[in-house]
Amino acid sequence: MLIEELKLKNFRNYSELTLHPHPGVNLYFGRNGSGKTNLLEAIHYCSLGRSHRISNDANAVKNGEAFALSSVSIRNSLGQREIAVRFHPDETQKKSILLDGKKIAKFSDMMGCLRCVIFSPEDLGLIKEGPSLRRRYLDMMISQINRGYFIALQQYRTCMDQRNALIRNLRANSYADTSMLSAFEETMAAPAAVIIRERRRIVSLLSECARETYQRVSDTDEVFRMAYHSSVKEETEIEEVLCRLFRENREDDIRMGFTSVGPHRDDLILTLNKNQMKQFASQGQIRTAALSMKLSQMQILRDQSGEEPVLLLDDVMSELDRKRRACLIGEISSFQTFITCADRDDVDCEKVDKMWMVSADAGEAKVEEIQNSEFRIQN
Ligand SMILES: Nc1ncnc2c1ncn2[C@@H]1O[C@H](COP(=O)(O)OP(=O)(O)OP(=O)(O)O)[C@@H](O)[C@H]1O
């Protein structure tokens, strides 16, 4: 899977940009705040319809402009495709997605068209921070290989929002009708079961792959494992078990005002030699584990879809020591990769196929290609 062209219009600090990336390793370097991450964010929007950062879609529109556009021309095993995301915050529908020029009705239609893996310094939080980051890691990955999973996530969230609204109503008005709860719970249980089953399947593949990767990166025999920890312990009849759990927790849920069991509360438990990493891991072990999780994500995405995902490395080189950096560069050789960094010396230029300098002047970003002969001579 390759991005052949990236086009931006009024996106963040880019008024207008057209880039033709190399099928191999592309490096974007420049000062802090120049607009490097904005480029990766634009690609991420075309892959998953949303930003990888915690940001409102309206922020993607350049200050003072009414609309923005990020579009890519990609080539995959089925041929060439155009994916475009248009932002128009003043209209009722604030964001629209176009596939080959035609507006799609459902976000799920874009899933899997452009598969990507992003690795940024925030991913170090995968090990130590709360479970939401780890669920997001799984959800973003599985959605790209299984459209049904993405649809199940959407359905589950909608039903849960409805159940939560009813629960809060019940808390405020104890005389409100509880009979609706069963209906919401039954509707929630079906997509919840899809989510749990698929997360379990993918985690067992990821765990095996990450265990090997961890040992290769760290050059130790430490055993890194990932295990899916769910409120549902049973392997079969997951829907029935969930309905029972929702029912049993009703009283507590009404008291607390939210749904307390289900895949939205599940976690990925990370262990090293059977010790929970959250409590015991050193900084070096955290970095190796995060890197192993990302490399495994790439491999599983490739194995499950039959196509190489595009890799986005946002400012991670400065976070890794020389050995881990070399390991990362060694593993990405078959993927189209977009690397951003403040200092171009953070990446071995021999491994780079195309290099750009990103700069900003008066709030306007500019991207200039550095000729191959120039950057190779310097190194
Ligand atoms: N909607 C917007 N309109 C105009 N400029 C914006 C908008 N959103 C962000 N910017 C500008 O984009 C720049 C940040 O870009 P980006 O996050 O890509 O930086 P970066 O080069 O990755 O920096 P760092 O190396 O610090 O991570 C800032 O100067 C910010 O003011």
Side-chain angles (χ1 to χ4, degrees), residues 12 41 51-57 59 122 133 136:
R12 296 275 186 187
E41 183 185 40
S51 174
H52 65 288
R53 3 189 208 203
I54 302 159
S55 172
N56 193 312
D57 287 339
N59 295 336
E122 291 80 56
L133 269 184
R136 194 176 132 102

Side-chain angles (χ1 to χ4, degrees), residues 6 8 11-12 37-61 68-72 83-87 94-98 104 107 110-111 114 116 118 312:
L6 168 68
L8 304 181
F11 187 89
R12 296 275 186 187
T37 303
N38 295 343
L39 291 173
L40 303 194
E41 183 185 40
I43 296 175
H44 199 272
Y45 263 115
C46 292
S47 171
L48 285 138
R50 57 191 266 193
S51 174
H52 65 288
R53 3 189 208 203
I54 302 159
S55 172
N56 193 312
D57 287 339
N59 295 336
V61 180
L69 177 78
S70 167
S71 74
V72 288
I83 309 169
V85 182
R86 284 180 62 95
F87 304 85
K94 306 204 177 304
K95 183 168 67 179
S96 43
I97 307 216
L98 294 94
I104 58 170
F107 268 113
M110 81 181 302
M111 287 297 143
L114 170 62
C116 81
I118 187 153
L312 312 174

